[in-house]
């Protein structure tokens, strides 16, 4: 049986339609007879962070990569309660109308017809409750027969989480957490108070170790109650308490010690509540294995501390624990439900060993064709031993983009779409931030360590434990903290990834070659992207990111790639286009009854706050850009004077670096 898991909004990429707000982190997953074939988040394809658009590109990639036709798909799993989604659509988006509004089922049929190019028989649609999908994604990927499964997030359907006991595939619901109990919303409230936004919660987690939790521990303790039997209550007064303590931080303002102390107290409060909950649930069920999913499960600091508590022998965090993983859980839940209907005895699946489940960069020949297209911008050479060559460059201090095989599923780059560096010099943290990431200086980078040596560098509770998904923050051994200066956080911890030769031969070989040269079996590993884009997916994505950052080298497959000395004239032989998620606008601004000026802007349809002012010359060029006409001809057609062409090219380069335009070599 082939099952498509489908987590997505209902708007196409070019639309700002409100129906897209019904979800975030669109994704598609394909499984066959319980085997995971492909898992892709739409953001990797449409290049919109946390894309909530129709997952048409992800679905197409899952199907084409496995030669699956529409007729081959037996079930389509959609992770929501149908009646809840219908009520939400009506309440939020169409509150004033008495017209018959399409429900989620009708919308699903419509988008498959319109955007996927094929129709779905109604009997193939299966709706799986949001939190059941989260729970299934964790349990069925864990490899455990018996486990406590805990889901904690912002909200979904009408809950903010569930707790289940599962024994040999038989589920028992222990409790459901109401939306007012949402730990995701609790954390997000403070995230916004600290001047960050939705999806920035991980920044607050990274900020917390710089603070003193005890300063505001009592304040946070006034915002929740720990009740008998592991219950808890969020009192809803946190925002008022915070505003009494100090003013909100506005976005872009300096991060002070006060903000660090608030972040630390928030992290402490979250841990206090979750520890209270799991201690009771573990005692109640007797389970020695724990599975976690939901957005809160991406709090790697919390996960590490749960592991160190010793309540559980094993803890599994679903690597795509956020809503992007709902497609995975929905598909797996439908598979095992169908098996049960057939009277088949439950057979536990093997543990999830890796998440290299996305699109493939293919062979060196295919890569070569893509590289040739950029020959005016890059030099490239096929290496006989790319792992050894790259290890030498890393040991000499270079920072490298590393692209191999299939892309990772989930929010972490795990060695196939990574930026890599020597983990020893502490200054590499600031160097990478300046060169590429353009992000807050307090956020740490992760160490990727050969699993054979992990115990020598990190405090691991039990021998031979594996951490392949970068989901746990663990203590760095005290004698190794100074050595791993670029990956050890201020509190002596690190978000560890153990690398196995079995699951990623090329990445393992690279780190092993680095070990042979330096004696250190560890590399600094961070996602290959700048601050304006999702993690790179294709060869072209990687080249563009390389050319618009200060990375020293790029490796794709067995190719070593360097930048040429790029001059402005080289951009004359490129074509331009505006991404489908952007719109050019021209408007008049009135200053008084007698004064008026024109505004030329480039707007992102999915974010009303994202507006870039552009020059009238850039507006004229982009208005005529069709992705086929070279820039030199556009200059001529738009009658752009030679005197200002260089200025316009610099503006175009800036727009390209922010991923607001697409630039392609002729």
């Amino acid at each position: 049986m082939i099952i498509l898991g489908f987590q997505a909004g209902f708007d196409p990429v070019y639309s700002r339609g409100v129906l897209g707000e019904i979800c975030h982190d669109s994704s598609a997953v394909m499984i066959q007879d319980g085997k995971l074939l492909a898992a892709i988040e739409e953001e990797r394809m449409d290049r919109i962070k946390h894309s909530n658009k129709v997952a048409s590109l992800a679905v197409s990639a899952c199907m084409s990569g496995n030669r699956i036709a529409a007729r081959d798909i037996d079930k389509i799993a959609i992770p929501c309660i149908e009646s809840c989604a219908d009520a939400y659509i009506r309440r939020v988006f169409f509150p004033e109308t008495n017209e018959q509004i399409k429900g989620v089922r009708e919308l699903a049929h419509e988008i498959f017809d319109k955007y996927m190019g094929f129709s779905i028989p109604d009997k193939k649609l299966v709706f799986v409750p949001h939190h059941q999908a989260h729970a299934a994604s964790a349990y069925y990927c864990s490899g455990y027969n018996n486990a406590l499964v805990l889901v904690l997030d912002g909200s979904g359907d009408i809950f903010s989480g569930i707790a289940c006991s599962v024994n040999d595939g038989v589920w028992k619901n222990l409790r459901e957490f109401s939306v007012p109990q949402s730990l995701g919303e609790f954390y997000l409230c403070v995230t916004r108070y600290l001047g960050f936004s939705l999806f920035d919660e991980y920044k607050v987690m990274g900020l917390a170790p710089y603070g003193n939790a005890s300063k505001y521990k009592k304040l946070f303790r006034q915002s929740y109650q720990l009740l008998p039997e592991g219950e808890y209550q969020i009192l809803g007064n946190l925002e008022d308490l915070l505003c009494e303590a100090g003013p909100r931080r506005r976005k872009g303002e300096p991060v002070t010690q006060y903000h660090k102390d608030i972040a630390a107290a928030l992290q402490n409060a979250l841990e206090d509540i979750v520890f209270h909950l799991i201690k009771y649930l573990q005692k109640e069920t007797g389970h020695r294995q724990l599975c976690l999913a939901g957005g809160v499960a991406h709090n790697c600091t919390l996960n590490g501390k749960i592991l160190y508590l010793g309540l559980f022998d094993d803890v599994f965090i679903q690597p795509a624990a956020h809503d992007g993983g709902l497609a995975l859980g929905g598909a797996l839940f439908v598979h095992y439900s169908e098996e049960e209907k057939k009277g088949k005895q439950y057979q536990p699946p093997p543990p999830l060993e890796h998440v290299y489940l996305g699109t493939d960069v293919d062979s060196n020949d295919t890569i070569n064709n893509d590289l040739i297209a950029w020959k005016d911008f890059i030099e490239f050479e096929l290496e006989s031993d790319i792992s050894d060559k790259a290890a030498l460059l890393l040991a000499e201090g270079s920072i490298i983009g590393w692209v191999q095989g299939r892309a990772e599923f989930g929010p972490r780059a795990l060695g196939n779409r990574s930026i890599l560096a020597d983990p020893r010099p502490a200054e590499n943290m600031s160097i990478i931030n300046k060169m590429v990431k353009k992000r807050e200086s307090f956020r740490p980078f992760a160490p990727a360590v050969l699993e054979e040596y992990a115990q020598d560098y990190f405090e691991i509770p039990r021998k031979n434990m594996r951490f392949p998904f970068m989901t746990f923050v663990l203590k760095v051994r005290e004698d190794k903290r100074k050595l791993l200066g670029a990956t050890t956080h201020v509190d002596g911890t690190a978000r560890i990834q153990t690398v196995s030769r079995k699951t990623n031969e090329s990445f393992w070989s690279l780190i092993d070659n680095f070990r042979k040269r330096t004696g250190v079996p560890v590399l600094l590993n961070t996602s290959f992207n700048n601050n304006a884009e999702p993690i790179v997916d294709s060869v072209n994505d990687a080249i563009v990111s390389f050319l618009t950052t200060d990375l020293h080298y790029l490796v794709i497959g067995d190719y070593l790639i360097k930048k040429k000395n790029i001059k402005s004239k080289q951009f004359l032989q490129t074509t331009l286009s505006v991404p489908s998620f952007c719109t050019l606008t021209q408007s008049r601004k009135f200053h008084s009854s007698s004064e008026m000026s024109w505004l030329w802007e480039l707007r992102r349809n999915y974010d009303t706050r994202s507006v870039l002012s552009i020059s009238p010359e850039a507006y004229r060029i982009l208005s005529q850009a069709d992705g086929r006409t070279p820039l030199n001809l556009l200059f001529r057609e738009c009658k752009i004077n030679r005197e200002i062409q260089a200025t316009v090219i610099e503006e175009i380069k800036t727009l390209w670096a922010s991923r607001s335009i697409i630039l392609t070599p002729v």
Side-chain angles (χ1 to χ4, degrees):
M1 174 174 280
I2 295 177
I3 301 170
L4 171 65
F6 183 75
Q7 150 71 7
F10 300 107
D11 294 325
V13 68
Y14 52 79
S15 169
R16 198 181 72 81
V18 292
L19 283 175
E21 297 172 20
I22 199 169
C23 80
H24 52 79
D25 297 300
S26 297
S27 62
V29 167
M30 194 74 72
I31 66 171
Q32 182 172 18
D33 299 328
K35 181 182 178 182
L36 187 51
L37 301 179
I40 301 172
E41 290 192 76
E42 186 71 7
E43 71 164 20
R44 303 292 184 95
M45 314 297 289
D46 68 16
R47 310 309 296 158
I48 299 173
K49 281 187 175 183
H50 300 286
S51 178
N52 62 358
K53 302 301 182 181
V54 169
S56 55
L57 297 173
V59 170
S60 177
C62 286
M63 293 174 66
S64 62
N66 293 280
R67 299 182 180 180
I68 291 172
R71 64 179 177 275
D72 300 324
I73 299 173
D74 297 292
K75 297 289 182 182
I76 297 175
I78 298 179
C80 66
I81 296 173
E82 185 176 4
S83 60
C84 289
D86 289 348
Y88 183 81
I89 291 168
R90 171 171 287 279
R91 183 177 72 253
V92 176
F93 303 120
F94 305 101
E96 305 298 331
T97 182
N98 292 320
E99 297 178 15
Q100 181 65 36
I101 303 301
K102 294 173 183 174
V104 65
R105 182 179 293 270
E106 291 78 13
L107 287 168
H109 283 293
E110 185 177 283
I111 63 173
F112 272 85
D113 283 338
K114 191 172 182 179
Y115 304 116
M116 312 294 180
F118 61 90
S119 298
I120 329 164
D122 200 62
K123 64 181 181 180
K124 290 189 177 183
L125 279 183
V126 183
F127 291 89
V128 179
H130 178 104
H131 290 98
Q132 183 62 68
H134 270 315
S137 76
Y139 173 70
Y140 292 123
C141 291
S142 69
Y144 307 153
N145 277 7
N146 308 316
L148 171 65
V149 183
L150 182 61
V151 176
L152 299 169
D153 64 9
S155 65
D157 295 330
I158 55 174
F159 303 109
S160 67
I162 58 172
C164 304
S165 174
V166 194
N167 292 282
D168 296 320
V170 179
W171 292 77
K172 179 183 178 183
N173 196 12
L174 300 176
R175 62 184 62 181
E176 295 163 332
F177 304 102
S178 67
V179 172
Q181 288 179 287
S182 172
L183 294 181
E185 290 296 328
F186 179 75
Y187 210 92
L188 178 58
C189 172
V190 185
T191 298
R192 286 176 166 149
Y193 171 80
L194 291 173
F196 301 107
S197 305
L198 177 66
F199 308 126
D200 287 343
E201 292 90 338
Y202 64 97
K203 296 181 182 180
V204 178
M205 182 186 73
L207 182 62
Y210 291 92
N212 180 354
S214 64
K215 281 194 174 183
Y216 296 101
K217 185 175 182 178
K218 288 183 179 179
L219 180 147
F220 274 85
R221 201 62 181 78
Q222 297 175 55
S223 67
Y224 64 92
Q225 287 182 333
L226 301 181
L227 305 172
E229 299 183 340
E231 289 286 0
Y232 66 91
Q233 181 180 5
I234 304 296
L235 300 178
N237 60 346
L238 181 54
E239 191 168 0
D240 292 337
L241 291 169
L242 289 169
C243 289
E244 289 176 11
R248 289 175 176 272
R249 173 180 172 267
R250 295 182 182 276
K251 184 177 181 180
E253 289 182 347
V255 174
T256 68
Q257 189 58 48
Y258 168 71
H259 302 127
K260 297 171 184 178
D261 293 339
I262 289 291
L266 168 65
Q267 181 68 29
N268 179 266
L270 174 69
E271 293 165 7
D272 191 31
I273 296 168
V274 174
F275 292 169
H276 173 72
L277 172 64
I278 63 171
K279 284 176 181 177
Y280 178 80
L281 292 175
Q282 193 283 323
K283 186 176 180 181
E284 180 185 16
T285 63
H287 282 304
R288 298 296 299 176
Q289 282 77 37
L290 172 68
C291 301
L292 290 175
V296 175
H298 278 314
N299 192 299
C300 306
T301 300
L302 170 67
N303 300 340
K305 290 184 178 180
I306 290 173
L307 196 64
Y308 284 133
L309 277 179
L311 290 172
F312 302 94
D313 297 328
D314 297 291
V315 179
F316 176 76
I317 315 296
Q318 204 273 95
H322 62 304
D323 280 6
L326 288 170
L328 171 62
L332 288 170
F333 187 79
V334 169
H335 167 74
Y336 286 101
S337 297
E338 292 295 317
E339 293 288 285
E340 186 179 357
K341 288 178 185 177
K342 295 173 185 175
K344 293 186 177 180
Q345 185 175 359
Y346 175 72
Q347 295 292 328
L352 183 69
E353 292 191 325
H354 67 83
V355 286
Y356 306 114
L357 299 162
T359 57
D360 200 335
V361 294
D362 294 325
S363 66
N364 284 329
D365 289 342
T366 304
I367 295 167
N368 182 68
N369 293 335
D370 290 328
L371 296 176
I372 288 172
W374 289 94
K375 64 184 184 302
D376 292 338
F377 291 80
I378 58 175
E379 299 173 359
F380 51 93
E381 186 174 351
L382 188 65
E383 295 284 342
S384 59
D385 189 346
I386 191 63
S387 294
D388 186 58
K389 179 65 175 179
L392 171 62
L393 294 170
L394 289 163
E396 292 175 342
S398 293
I399 296 170
I400 293 176
W402 177 264
V403 176
Q404 303 290 329
R406 295 181 71 177
E408 302 91 338
F409 179 56
R412 309 294 178 216
L414 300 170
N416 279 11
R417 301 293 186 276
S418 292
I419 290 172
L420 305 173
D422 189 333
R424 296 171 296 173
E427 59 268 23
N428 271 356
M429 292 178 64
S430 58
I431 290 171
I432 295 173
N433 273 323
K434 184 178 179 181
M435 290 172 60
V436 187
K437 308 294 276 188
K438 308 293 192 285
R439 68 183 199 173
E440 296 83 3
S441 61
F442 57 78
R443 287 165 53 193
F445 290 110
V449 57
L450 298 181
E451 63 180 10
E452 299 91 331
Y453 296 89
Q455 196 84 32
D456 299 336
Y457 286 80
F458 304 94
E459 294 186 19
I460 296 174
R462 198 175 69 252
K463 192 175 181 180
N464 297 325
M465 293 188 81
R466 299 172 62 248
F467 303 92
F469 303 124
M470 215 182 278
T471 50
F472 291 88
V473 166
L474 300 182
K475 298 172 187 175
V476 182
R477 290 196 177 276
E478 194 165 352
D479 63 329
K480 296 296 193 294
R481 292 176 185 178
K482 188 175 181 180
L483 175 67
L484 301 180
T487 59
T488 300
H489 206 15
V490 65
D491 60 350
T493 65
R495 181 160 46 89
I496 181 178
Q497 176 197 359
T498 56
V499 180
S500 164
R501 189 172 196 170
K502 177 183 176 183
T503 58
N504 197 328
E505 172 78 25
S506 62
F507 195 34
W508 186 94
S509 296
L510 173 64
I511 302 174
D512 193 48
N513 278 312
F514 183 81
R515 176 191 65 82
K516 291 173 183 176
R517 291 184 176 277
T518 65
V520 178
V522 184
L523 283 177
L524 180 156
N525 179 18
T526 187
S527 58
F528 191 173
N529 61 321
N530 71 8
N531 63 334
E533 63 180 343
I535 300 173
V536 302
D537 189 78
S538 67
V539 172
N540 192 70
D541 293 338
I543 294 170
V544 170
S545 195
F546 177 56
L547 290 172
T548 53
T549 59
D550 293 324
L551 285 173
H552 298 126
Y553 295 94
L554 170 62
V555 172
I556 307 179
D558 292 320
Y559 282 96
L560 179 65
I561 302 153
K562 297 185 289 185
K563 300 183 185 85
K564 286 185 174 179
N565 185 17
I566 301 170
K567 307 291 186 182
S568 291
K569 65 180 182 180
Q570 287 159 270
F571 287 89
L572 295 174
Q573 294 302 314
T574 60
T575 65
L576 307 178
S577 58
V578 176
S580 53
F581 54 75
C582 285
T583 302
L584 284 166
T585 62
Q586 180 181 12
S587 59
R588 289 181 292 180
K589 182 178 180 180
F590 291 93
H591 304 282
S592 66
S593 57
S594 59
E595 293 186 18
M596 179 270 293
S597 63
W598 285 95
L599 293 175
W600 296 273
E601 295 172 332
L602 191 57
R603 296 173 175 265
R604 293 177 185 261
N605 302 332
Y606 58 85
D607 185 355
T608 56
R609 300 165 298 177
S610 180
V611 180
L612 293 172
S613 294
I614 58 176
S615 68
E617 292 81 12
Y619 178 85
R620 282 154 57 195
I621 289 288
L622 294 175
S623 296
Q624 297 299 315
D626 57 7
R628 298 185 301 274
T629 306
L631 180 57
N632 62 335
L633 294 182
L634 287 174
F635 277 145
R636 188 183 308 165
E637 291 174 6
C638 296
K639 299 180 180 178
I640 305 296
N641 296 332
R642 283 185 176 274
E643 292 74 21
I644 62 170
Q645 285 185 12
T647 302
V648 176
I649 288 174
E650 289 303 311
E651 185 176 3
I652 285 169
K653 288 163 65 176
T654 300
L655 293 171
W656 187 38
S658 69
R659 305 298 181 265
S660 301
I661 63 169
I662 299 169
L663 188 151
T664 308
V666 175

